[in-house]
Amino acid sequence: MEGRNVTEFVLLGLSSSPQSQALLFVLFLVIYLLTLVGNLLMLTLISSDAHLRTPMYFFLRYLSFMDSLYSSVIVPKLLWNLMSEWKTISFLGCFIQIAMVIFSGATEACLLSAMAYDRFQAVCHPLLYVITMNGKVCSGMVALSGAIGVSVSLVNTLLLAQENFCGPNIIHSFACELPPMLLLVCSDPHTTIASILTTMVILGIGPFVLLLGSYSCIIKTALGINSATGRSKIFSTCSSHFLVVIIFYGSGVFRHMTPATGSALEQVLSLQYSVVTPLLNPLIYSLKNKDVKAALRRMLSRKSRLTL
């Protein structure tokens, strides 16, 4: 099919009922504000508390930043569309959103792998941990994660943007995402699909193998310790990260393995992956981490002394 490329897309959103849209607006506004507060609080605690200046929290600081960025790419436009009669997004705006979503997701996958490697070194090679996970190594791993995210985002977004979108321009989602966008392509998308699948395999299997290998060694080391207190300390240290990994990869896999049909299930999975997950990460690390809770108490104590 030949035709002039469209200049804007229509996002169908989550509901056409004004009452439902108002309720959803309030719900997602609260979730977005909690997400920003939670992740910014983690950033503040890690940056200001000397007890949290370790490799694990160094990575967690960037993970919190990526969660804030990811949520800010999706939710503000979602909120605007819920209250707007014209639920459109420009061609450029749509592809900027796609690029930022890919960048955030790819970078976060790499950061989670770096955090798993950090836990592996801390548990399995504690005597060499300070040397192995020095400042240059940690900074290099963060920089590499960002570089991978930028590269993957540019390649896949530019390939998709070069496709012919001649109409219709209706996206069966509340955001510009790869699966529903591919349904609107009029030209042959084989190259774009091949690139996307290659990216998913590399960023899916690669970090997953590293995560699986790291945690297999951690569990083996923990089970080899005679002290119940020692085993409990290891599992307590790693449980928060392991739970975040399960949520991130679980929701991501289900989302991208679901056919792009605009179904209710697809919308729920998209919301889980792009709206709820960035909120859960700071909650998990704050509620399940004694160091973070202690840092929060110290910060509140300092604030209370200053106000007296």
Side-chain angles (χ1 to χ4, degrees), residues 3-222:
R4 183 174 60 86
N5 278 358
V6 300
T7 59
E8 64 179 15
F9 296 97
V10 178
L11 298 167
L12 287 186
L14 300 170
S15 174
S16 58
S17 167
Q19 292 81 7
S20 298
Q21 289 180 357
L23 290 174
L24 290 172
F25 177 86
V26 174
L27 173 62
F28 292 128
L29 178 60
V30 171
I31 290 176
Y32 181 55
L33 292 177
L34 289 176
T35 299
L36 290 183
V37 169
N39 283 290
L40 291 177
L41 179 60
M42 291 298 297
L43 282 168
T44 303
L45 284 175
I46 295 170
S47 301
S48 62
D49 196 296
H51 295 84
L52 300 183
R53 290 172 188 170
T54 63
M56 182 177 74
Y57 295 107
F58 178 80
F59 293 124
L60 180 57
R61 180 172 59 182
Y62 287 96
L63 184 67
S64 296
F65 172 76
M66 296 310 302
D67 280 332
S68 299
L69 176 63
Y70 190 37
S71 183
S72 297
V73 169
I74 298 293
V75 182
K77 183 60 177 175
L78 169 60
L79 293 174
W80 175 266
N81 285 345
L82 284 171
M83 290 289 99
S84 174
E85 183 179 353
W86 305 102
K87 306 179 188 304
T88 60
I89 184 170
S90 67
F91 187 92
L92 178 60
C94 186
F95 279 88
I96 289 176
Q97 191 175 66
I98 290 174
M100 294 304 297
V101 166
I102 297 174
F103 165 71
S104 303
T107 303
E108 187 160 336
C110 295
L111 285 174
L112 289 173
S113 299
M115 293 174 74
Y117 179 73
D118 168 71
R119 293 298 83 204
F120 161 73
Q121 291 292 343
V123 173
C124 300
H125 305 288
L127 298 179
L128 298 175
Y129 178 68
V130 177
I131 299 174
T132 305
M133 299 301 296
N134 58 61
K136 288 185 177 180
V137 171
C138 293
S139 298
M141 294 175 79
V142 169
L144 180 60
S145 299
I148 292 173
V150 169
S151 302
V152 167
S153 175
L154 285 176
V155 170
N156 287 286
T157 305
L158 290 176
L159 282 174
L160 182 60
Q162 290 176 357
E163 300 289 353
N164 185 26
F165 293 88
C166 58
N169 64 340
I170 299 175
I171 299 175
H172 293 271
S173 181
F174 57 87
C176 291
E177 298 177 295
L178 287 174
M181 287 296 292
L182 287 172
L183 295 178
L184 305 182
V185 173
C186 299
S187 53
D188 186 356
H190 285 155
T191 302
T192 302
I193 293 175
S195 175
I196 293 171
L197 290 176
T198 302
T199 299
M200 291 176 62
V201 169
I202 293 175
L203 289 180
I205 296 179
F208 183 76
V209 169
L210 180 58
L211 289 164
L212 187 63
S214 297
Y215 273 101
S216 296
C217 294
I218 289 171
I219 293 172
K220 182 178 179 181
T221 300

